[in-house]
Amino acid sequence: MKENKLETIVELFEGNEIRSIWDNEKEDYYFSVVDVISVLTDANIPRNYWSDLKRKLKDEGSEVHENIVQLKMKAHDGKMRTTDTLNTKGMLRLIESIPSPKAEPFKMWLASLGSERIDEVFDPEIAIRRAIDYYRRKGCSDKWIESRLKGILDRNKLTDIWKDGGITDKYEYGILTNEIYEEWSGMKASEYKKYKGIRKESLRDNMSDIEVVLTDLGEVATRELAKEHKPYGLEQNKEVAKMGGHAAKVAREDIEKNLGKSLISNGNSLNYQYVDENQKLENTTLDNK
């Protein structure tokens, strides 16, 4: 089973070329709107079709129009040209706005996903079973899955502590998480992902056992320190997060001293590889290092 988000979306286009660019900071793909229009309509000139549709969306006050981003992509003549793009969410919303029979499979797919999520609201166990099935398909043992789910629960305990300390915005949680990661590993979460060659995938799911242990130690230490010192606001919580990360750093350095090698690995659990220069994916088996 192919687990990659970009592959999953591209498969719905039945092999047609859809140019895309990965934004490492926002951790999202940006897709060429004209390419999507070309595949999903019978328009002789997709660019004109998009121009008319864009004008219509603007008049309707659609969020799709507001989220258009112009990026340079390689055109058919080999030159880099500016073109309208949308991120994953925007691209899916665009598809919903296209009155074409070719867009129906996408709309049915989106409706199915929406139905599944609504079912999970009424019965959260469905989401848990879905996660367990996902990990089993990846070949993870039940013991590993149990540990992973416990890690998610422990992470929530930490974010609850941060919430009590006046942390409310998503970006602030990211800043505090980066304080922990950077202190013990020397990398922010996004840099760690890049080092491992992953994008949207979970960083923990692509860590070695010892990397997970060090991550857990940093977060648990941060949680206990926050309980004791009761920091409030972003700056005070950053100091405590750094202290928690330092506890993991000390453990890492001690183990590495006796082991004689780094505990930070660039290995991952993917069965595909990203090829940045072509904005395409190359299906190949990666050896974990």
Side-chain angles (χ1 to χ4, degrees):
M1 178 177 179
K2 295 178 180 177
E3 307 294 355
N4 179 264
K5 182 177 183 179
L6 179 57
E7 275 192 291
T8 300
I9 293 172
V10 170
E11 279 183 348
L12 294 173
F13 288 101
E14 298 180 344
N16 291 281
E17 180 185 1
I18 305 294
R19 290 173 294 167
S20 63
I21 290 178
W22 169 253
D23 187 317
N24 193 52
E25 289 188 6
K26 296 181 179 179
E27 295 193 347
D28 206 352
Y29 290 98
Y30 283 81
F31 299 88
S32 165
V33 175
V34 173
D35 291 354
V36 174
I37 295 292
S38 177
V39 172
L40 296 185
T41 72
D42 294 317
N44 293 324
I45 307 178
R47 195 170 299 279
N48 290 347
Y49 184 103
W50 169 231
S51 180
D52 292 339
L53 179 58
K54 181 164 56 173
R55 190 179 305 109
K56 178 175 179 290
L57 293 172
K58 181 179 181 180
D59 291 341
E60 294 175 350
S62 171
E63 65 175 24
V64 173
H65 180 271
E66 298 297 324
N67 293 329
I68 296 170
V69 176
Q70 290 199 321
L71 297 174
K72 284 190 174 182
M73 290 183 166
K74 185 178 290 187
H76 293 297
D77 60 7
K79 295 182 179 180
M80 299 298 292
R81 301 184 185 281
T82 301
T83 187
D84 287 347
T85 70
L86 287 167
N87 65 8
T88 305
K89 180 180 178 181
M91 187 269 291
L92 295 175
R93 287 288 291 113
L94 170 68
I95 291 171
E96 292 179 325
S97 304
I98 297 176
S100 167
K102 291 184 178 180
E104 284 306 309
F106 290 85
K107 295 177 182 179
M108 291 297 295
W109 178 63
L110 290 171
S112 177
L113 290 179
S115 177
E116 290 174 4
R117 298 303 174 268
I118 291 174
D119 289 343
E120 290 169 4
V121 171
F122 289 100
D123 185 1
E125 185 179 333
I126 295 175
I128 297 173
R129 289 201 302 268
R130 180 164 57 85
I132 292 173
D133 289 343
Y134 165 78
Y135 285 127
R136 281 176 173 168
R137 287 197 300 269
K138 290 186 66 176
C140 300
S141 67
D142 285 352
K143 183 178 180 180
W144 185 95
I145 296 171
E146 182 180 356
S147 176
R148 182 69 177 92
L149 294 178
K150 182 179 181 301
I152 294 172
L153 183 60
D154 287 340
R155 168 70 182 181
N156 286 340
K157 290 179 182 178
L158 173 58
T159 55
D160 286 342
I161 291 291
W162 281 340
K163 189 179 297 182
D164 292 339
I167 303 303
T168 56
D169 294 325
K170 184 177 179 180
Y171 83 94
E172 291 181 319
Y173 289 115
I175 290 173
L176 295 178
T177 299
N178 277 330
E179 287 291 331
I180 298 173
Y181 272 117
E182 195 164 15
E183 180 62 24
W184 79 260
S185 73
M187 294 179 282
K188 296 179 181 179
S190 59
E191 295 169 337
Y192 209 156
K193 281 188 168 186
K194 186 175 182 179
Y195 179 65
K196 283 183 170 290
I198 61 177
R199 292 182 176 175
K200 292 292 287 186
E201 298 83 3
S202 165
L203 180 53
R204 286 178 189 257
D205 286 355
N206 289 279
M207 284 181 168
S208 66
D209 290 344
I210 192 66
E211 287 175 301
V212 171
V213 169
L214 291 171
T215 300
D216 289 343
L217 175 58
E219 293 191 345
V220 171
T222 300
R223 187 182 74 208
E224 294 306 309
L225 287 165
K227 285 181 182 179
E228 181 65 26
H229 296 288
K230 295 180 172 52
Y232 196 87
L234 181 60
E235 292 307 313
Q236 290 183 12
N237 273 287
K238 281 173 65 176
E239 293 180 11
V240 172
K242 191 170 184 177
M243 291 167 60
H246 185 72
K249 179 182 179 180
V250 171
R252 174 196 169 187
E253 290 177 343
D254 186 61
I255 297 171
E256 288 180 341
K257 180 180 178 180
N258 291 287
L259 198 61
K261 64 179 182 180
S262 175
L263 297 177
I264 304 295
S265 166
N266 64 352
N268 60 53
S269 61
L270 308 185
N271 64 347
Y272 45 82
Q273 180 181 359
Y274 291 103
V275 183
D276 292 330
E277 60 270 23
N278 297 319
Q279 288 85 48
K280 294 181 180 179
L281 292 168
E282 178 183 341
N283 292 319
T284 183
T285 301
L286 296 182
D287 295 325
N288 285 328
K289 300 179 181 178

